[in-house]
Amino acid sequence: MNYKSKFGFGCMRLPLLDQDDPTKIDQELFSEMVDIYMEKGFNYFDTSYAYHNGTSEKAIRKAVVERYPRESFQICDKIPTWALTSEKDNEKFVNEMLERLGIEYFDVLFIHNINTPWLKLAEQHKSFENVKKMKEKGTAKKIGFSFHDSADLLEKVLDKYADIIDIVQLELNYLDWEDPAIEAHKCYDLCVKHGLDVYVMEPLKGGVIVNPNDEIKDSFKQFNPEKSIASFALRFCASLENVKMVLSGMNKMEDLLDNCETFENFEPITDEEKDFLAKMADKLNSTLAVPCSECGYCVKECPAMIPIPEYFRLYNLSTNRPESDIYRLYFDKLADEKVPADDCTYCGTCLDYCTQKIDIPEELENVCEHFESGFTPYAGAP
């Protein structure tokens, strides 16, 4: 099996010149990373209308489309389901996406993030029928949707639309594999049942997997000092038979080189390694205050625009590493320069959009209490 073909460049978290402005992409570094990625024989780029507030597609155009022959690379893009107001919007957004990228067709076209509320929008505005037509006329070679919801909802969607799509993009990683909130294993099995290819997003769960505490890092070193924590996670996903693509969002050269090494010299995951990863998943889950993947969908729906993932990231860091700088970041940067966490009105709008099924209002309250009272280990912390 050609495992090299399974490694995709996720363009949701590109290198930035200004960490507080997602539109300020470090184009020079990104282009350098693209060159190395392409030179090593990889060629798949995954983006979305929404990534980096619309600038991810433009960055790909500069780094890839304007510098390489069209047949040498593949591009996947996604229709912004949440922004649909009419059936005509499907074509409108697709035309805008093609223009931003500077291409005439997509190798893969997805309906973005099918979940309970956005499925209603997609069906109301006939997105499934529209992407089918786009494939028939050559605007897209393959079509499908990305998915963040329960296995029950996925089953209903596949029973209705599996015969017209090619791919389902799933959040899948060893941390979520048996998690009853994410149901990654069940969702994967449903795709297999319907004979569909699976493309994997969040194999590192937004970086959660590769940023554990020192005890877990030491366990990995003792188990196999030659392999990075990221390589185990990527190999877990890519070893699944129906997984045809594993995306990694890389904003550092060292991460790109490590991931390329994993797929250039790919070793399928062993049973011993699976058992080890299951134990590490249990340990990691026990150390997380909030299992947030930092996808940001909640922020789009929050009336107050609270930077929820940023608060949860600091919360997780501070419970594992109670350092003063983390508290300074909370008080001086987030709570002062951005919308405070305690501006949450408990409206609950965010709840339907959380890919991890987190009770966001309750956890934001925990964040406030945690930082305002000083470091107090949460229940279950080591």
Side-chain angles (χ1 to χ4, degrees), residues 270-380:
T270 66
D271 289 340
E272 181 186 6
E273 289 172 325
K274 287 180 186 177
D275 291 340
F276 171 73
L277 292 179
K279 293 175 183 176
M280 292 302 100
D282 288 341
K283 280 190 176 183
L284 185 52
N285 276 320
S286 73
T287 68
L288 290 175
V290 187
C292 176
S293 68
E294 301 186 27
C295 66
Y297 295 129
C298 56
V299 183
K300 298 180 192 298
E301 302 302 323
C302 176
M305 293 298 291
I306 297 170
I308 298 164
E310 296 182 55
Y311 284 116
F312 288 167
R313 184 193 313 130
L314 291 186
Y315 188 21
N316 281 330
L317 284 172
S318 66
T319 51
N320 276 315
R321 302 176 180 86
E323 301 165 1
S324 59
D325 274 357
I326 297 173
Y327 286 80
R328 179 185 58 77
L329 283 171
Y330 174 84
F331 288 107
D332 296 346
K333 192 170 184 64
L334 273 179
D336 187 40
E337 295 180 11
K338 298 188 178 182
V339 182
D342 60 10
D343 273 13
C344 176
T345 63
Y346 294 82
C347 69
T349 304
C350 56
L351 295 176
D352 283 339
Y353 302 90
C354 179
T355 63
Q356 310 302 304
K357 308 306 176 190
I358 298 166
D359 187 335
I360 293 173
E362 180 180 341
E363 292 298 350
L364 282 175
E365 183 176 353
N366 291 338
V367 168
C368 295
E369 292 177 357
H370 172 81
F371 281 100
E372 289 170 9
S373 64
F375 175 66
T376 302
Y378 62 95

Side-chain angles (χ1 to χ4, degrees), residues 174-233:
Y174 70 77
L175 194 61
D176 293 332
W177 187 239
E178 301 296 352
D179 189 327
I182 310 299
E183 299 186 311
H185 195 165
K186 289 183 180 179
C187 288
Y188 172 78
D189 286 346
L190 283 169
C191 294
V192 173
K193 173 185 172 183
H194 286 274
L196 296 169
D197 289 344
V198 173
Y199 284 20
V200 172
M201 56 187 162
E202 304 290 3
L204 308 181
K205 201 177 175 73
V208 169
I209 283 175
V210 291
N211 290 293
N213 61 24
D214 290 339
E215 179 187 351
I216 294 174
K217 287 180 181 178
D218 289 342
S219 294
F220 273 94
K221 287 179 182 178
Q222 291 172 16
F223 184 78
N224 190 329
E226 303 300 319
K227 295 187 183 300
S228 68
I229 295 176
S231 71
F232 281 99

Side-chain angles (χ1 to χ4, degrees), residues 60-278:
I60 291 173
R61 178 174 184 162
K62 292 177 183 178
V64 183
V65 178
E66 294 178 356
R67 300 169 66 238
Y68 289 92
R70 180 64 183 92
E71 66 276 8
S72 68
F73 59 84
Q74 300 178 70
I75 291 180
C76 168
D77 210 337
K78 307 179 191 75
I79 297 171
T81 320
W82 57 90
L84 295 172
T85 60
S86 69
E87 182 179 350
K88 291 181 180 178
D89 279 351
N90 292 286
E91 186 173 3
K92 181 191 79 171
F93 285 125
V94 161
N95 288 337
E96 188 174 350
M97 289 150 57
L98 289 169
E99 183 178 356
R100 284 179 180 176
L101 286 162
I103 57 178
E104 295 182 352
Y105 67 90
F106 304 104
D107 297 277
V108 178
L109 178 63
F110 286 145
I111 305 167
H112 200 164
N113 193 6
I114 291 298
N115 57 20
T116 299
W118 290 346
L119 174 61
K120 295 175 183 177
L121 285 174
E123 293 193 318
Q124 179 183 350
H125 303 307
K126 301 186 184 304
S127 293
F128 287 92
E129 292 83 354
N130 273 269
V131 294
K132 180 175 181 288
K133 290 176 184 176
M134 290 171 190
K135 180 181 177 181
E136 291 170 348
K137 68 180 183 180
T139 303
K141 291 185 176 181
K142 293 183 178 181
I143 58 173
F145 59 89
S146 59
F147 185 82
H148 285 289
D149 214 304
S150 68
D152 285 344
L153 183 66
L154 180 59
E155 186 169 23
K156 292 175 183 176
V157 176
L158 293 184
D159 285 346
K160 193 170 183 179
Y161 298 110
D163 61 333
I164 68 169
I165 66 169
D166 307 295
I167 305 163
V168 178
Q169 187 155 297
L170 294 175
E171 176 180 328
L172 198 157
N173 52 68
Y174 70 77
L175 194 61
D176 293 332
W177 187 239
E178 301 296 352
D179 189 327
I182 310 299
E183 299 186 311
H185 195 165
K186 289 183 180 179
C187 288
Y188 172 78
D189 286 346
L190 283 169
C191 294
V192 173
K193 173 185 172 183
H194 286 274
L196 296 169
D197 289 344
V198 173
Y199 284 20
V200 172
M201 56 187 162
E202 304 290 3
L204 308 181
K205 201 177 175 73
V208 169
I209 283 175
V210 291
N211 290 293
N213 61 24
D214 290 339
E215 179 187 351
I216 294 174
K217 287 180 181 178
D218 289 342
S219 294
F220 273 94
K221 287 179 182 178
Q222 291 172 16
F223 184 78
N224 190 329
E226 303 300 319
K227 295 187 183 300
S228 68
I229 295 176
S231 71
F232 281 99
L234 296 175
R235 289 171 53 235
F236 175 87
C237 298
S239 295
L240 294 165
E241 184 177 357
N242 275 54
V243 166
K244 305 303 180 185
M245 187 65 62
V246 179
L247 303 173
S248 181
M250 301 165 285
N251 51 36
K252 297 177 183 176
M253 184 64 75
E254 61 196 74
D255 295 337
L256 171 72
L257 295 174
D258 180 52
N259 294 346
C260 286
E261 167 69 17
T262 296
F263 282 90
E264 284 181 300
N265 302 285
F266 193 86
E267 299 173 11
I269 205 83
T270 66
D271 289 340
E272 181 186 6
E273 289 172 325
K274 287 180 186 177
D275 291 340
F276 171 73
L277 292 179

